[in-house]
Coordinates of all heavy atoms in Angstrom, one line a residue:
Chain A
G204 N 34.2 -39.7 0.9 CA 35.7 -39.4 0.7 C 36.0 -38.0 0.9 O 35.3 -37.1 0.5
L205 N 37.1 -37.7 1.6 CA 37.6 -36.4 1.8 C 39.1 -36.3 1.6 O 39.8 -37.3 1.5 CB 37.3 -35.9 3.3 CG 35.8 -35.7 3.6 CD1 35.2 -36.9 4.3 CD2 35.7 -34.4 4.4
R206 N 39.6 -35.1 1.5 CA 41.1 -34.9 1.3 C 41.8 -35.5 2.5 O 41.3 -35.4 3.6 CB 41.4 -33.4 1.1 CG 41.2 -33.0 -0.3 CD 41.6 -31.5 -0.5 NE 40.8 -30.6 0.3 CZ 39.6 -30.1 -0.2 NH1 39.2 -30.5 -1.4 NH2 38.9 -29.3 0.5
E207 N 43.0 -36.0 2.3 CA 43.8 -36.6 3.4 C 44.0 -35.6 4.5 O 44.4 -34.4 4.3 CB 45.1 -37.1 2.8 CG 44.9 -38.1 1.7 CD 46.0 -39.2 1.8 OE1 47.2 -38.8 1.7 OE2 45.6 -40.4 2.0
G208 N 43.7 -36.0 5.7 CA 43.9 -35.2 6.9 C 42.9 -34.1 7.1 O 43.2 -33.2 7.9
D209 N 41.8 -34.1 6.3 CA 40.8 -33.0 6.5 C 40.2 -33.1 7.8 O 39.8 -34.2 8.3 CB 39.8 -33.2 5.4 CG 39.0 -31.9 5.2 OD1 38.7 -31.2 6.2 OD2 38.7 -31.6 4.0
E210 N 40.0 -31.9 8.5 CA 39.4 -31.9 9.8 C 37.9 -32.3 9.8 O 37.3 -32.7 10.7 CB 39.5 -30.5 10.5 CG 40.9 -30.1 10.8 CD 41.0 -28.6 10.9 OE1 40.0 -27.9 10.9 OE2 42.2 -28.2 11.1
L211 N 37.3 -32.2 8.6 CA 35.9 -32.5 8.4 C 35.6 -34.0 8.6 O 34.5 -34.3 8.9 CB 35.4 -32.1 7.0 CG 35.1 -30.6 6.8 CD1 34.8 -30.3 5.4 CD2 33.9 -30.2 7.7
I212 N 36.6 -34.8 8.5 CA 36.4 -36.3 8.6 C 35.8 -36.6 9.9 O 34.8 -37.3 10.0 CB 37.7 -37.1 8.4 CG1 38.2 -36.8 6.9 CG2 37.5 -38.5 8.6 CD1 39.6 -37.4 6.7
A213 N 36.4 -36.0 11.0 CA 35.9 -36.3 12.4 C 34.5 -35.8 12.5 O 33.7 -36.4 13.2 CB 36.9 -35.6 13.4
V214 N 34.3 -34.6 11.9 CA 32.9 -34.0 12.0 C 31.9 -34.9 11.4 O 30.8 -35.2 12.0 CB 32.9 -32.6 11.3 CG1 31.5 -32.0 11.4 CG2 34.0 -31.7 12.0
F215 N 32.1 -35.4 10.2 CA 31.2 -36.2 9.5 C 31.1 -37.6 10.2 O 30.0 -38.2 10.3 CB 31.5 -36.4 8.0 CG 31.0 -35.2 7.2 CD1 31.9 -34.4 6.6 CD2 29.7 -35.0 7.0 CE1 31.5 -33.3 5.9 CE2 29.2 -33.9 6.3 CZ 30.1 -33.0 5.7
D216 N 32.2 -38.1 10.7 CA 32.2 -39.4 11.4 C 31.2 -39.3 12.6 O 30.4 -40.2 12.9 CB 33.6 -39.7 12.0 CG 34.3 -40.7 11.0 OD1 33.6 -41.5 10.3 OD2 35.6 -40.8 11.1
E217 N 31.3 -38.2 13.3 CA 30.5 -38.0 14.5 C 29.0 -38.0 14.1 O 28.1 -38.6 14.7 CB 30.9 -36.7 15.2 CG 30.3 -36.5 16.6 CD 30.6 -35.2 17.2 OE1 31.6 -34.6 16.7 OE2 29.8 -34.7 18.0
A218 N 28.7 -37.2 13.0 CA 27.3 -37.1 12.5 C 26.8 -38.5 12.1 O 25.6 -38.8 12.4 CB 27.2 -36.1 11.4
I219 N 27.7 -39.3 11.4 CA 27.2 -40.6 11.0 C 27.0 -41.5 12.2 O 26.0 -42.2 12.2 CB 28.3 -41.2 10.0 CG1 28.4 -40.4 8.7 CG2 27.9 -42.7 9.7 CD1 29.6 -40.8 7.8

Side-chain angles (χ1 to χ4, degrees):
Chain A
L205 289 97
R206 280 183 291 276
E207 300 216 301
D209 197 322
E210 291 158 8
L211 281 172
I212 296 171
V214 177
F215 279 111
D216 261 337
E217 193 186 334
I219 294 171

